[in-house]
Amino acid sequence: MPVSGEFADWATELTMRHVPVPVRRAAGRRILTAIAAGVGAARVGLVDPAVHVAVGIGGPPEAELIGHAAGRLAAPAAALANGMLIGAARPEPDGAGGAMAVVLPVAMAVGQEVKARGDEVLLAVIAGHEMACRLAAPDGSRSVGVLGAALAAARLMTLDRCRVRDAVGIAGEFAGAPIGTGGTPGLTTGIAAGNAIIAARLAASGANGPVGGIDELCRAWRLRPERVLGGLGGEWVGEPHPAAKSTDYQFDLETCERLGGSRRDARALVAEVRALAFAPSLDSILALTVRVAAGS
């Protein structure tokens, strides 16, 4: 079976009981770090052009922005802005070319759009991030976030495995690399996040992905299928987060507190993200990011 088919089968069948506790903890900490980065970028207006463009696009009220009380926007527009907010602040590298900065905005936007539970969003993030880590270049230079994000979006949209494969294949058409240096911070991650949702929506509407799917990309990148798929479902190749090594797993409040806002709001944000596996509300998480960003 092609690589994209194997990933599609695995992702559609993945449940929380298949995910070891350390993997959940590492994902939760990465999510908190990414959200904190987005709140920080919102506070200092780091990517205001992206926010202005997203608000201008408008569209159906599907998803909200991190750290901004702009109201609900179309999911691709929200993912574009949130991807730029997170990517611009450069949260810790995750060994997959900053994939979490693409996967998380997509999972949050589509999760709100389809009214998914928090645990469903967490599973989508874990699946997309794992796929990106398996396809990433050792130096993190490869643009794989859009592939993992399309997988996350397709899973949240409850597409069947054939459509999941198409979504990832279509996203592969967007898997380019930045040209040159400089430019607007977070632009690559933001555009990748918006494109991932478009890829999943195209697949849901009946568009087919390239015949080779991501297998052609694997050949171009000289990735052996056994290296990409080895242990899938039993072994997790995503780098463990250092903070996940603690048995009781306490989130560090420093990241949130230094962004401003009250200690109470920072603690509440930490608690909501920590409880993602138990289905908290994404709306409450995003509302808290606005309060923390405003420094109220």
Side-chain angles (χ1 to χ4, degrees), residues 151-249:
L151 183 78
R155 180 190 160 89
L156 284 165
M157 292 164 65
T158 63
L159 303 188
D160 63 37
R161 51 177 56 96
C162 291
R163 288 301 169 198
V164 172
R165 186 183 60 215
D166 284 327
V168 173
I170 294 168
E173 303 280 10
F174 301 126
I179 300 172
T181 57
T184 303
L187 188 60
T188 304
T189 53
I191 290 175
N195 283 343
I197 295 181
I198 290 169
R201 287 186 174 185
L202 283 168
S205 297
N208 297 319
V211 176
I214 58 171
D215 297 80
E216 290 297 332
L217 288 178
C218 286
R219 279 191 280 275
W221 293 337
R222 298 181 182 177
L223 293 175
R224 298 191 308 276
E226 57 271 22
R227 179 241 186 215
V228 174
L229 298 170
L232 184 64
E235 299 173 12
W236 298 83
V237 304
E239 289 181 13
H241 194 290
K245 293 180 181 173
S246 164
T247 358
D248 54 359
Y249 185 46

Side-chain angles (χ1 to χ4, degrees), residues 73-145:
L73 313 171
L80 166 70
N82 285 337
M84 287 187 69
L85 283 164
I86 293 172
R90 299 182 181 275
E92 60 179 323
D94 58 12
M100 186 59 80
V102 184
V103 174
L104 180 61
V106 168
M108 293 189 80
V110 178
Q112 290 174 87
E113 176 193 353
V114 303
K115 297 179 174 58
R117 300 190 312 269
D119 58 331
E120 293 169 337
V121 173
L122 178 60
L123 277 169
V125 169
I126 289 171
H129 187 256
E130 178 70 10
M131 178 183 179
C133 285
R134 285 173 173 269
L135 293 169
D139 61 0
S141 61
R142 190 174 294 136
S143 300
V144 292

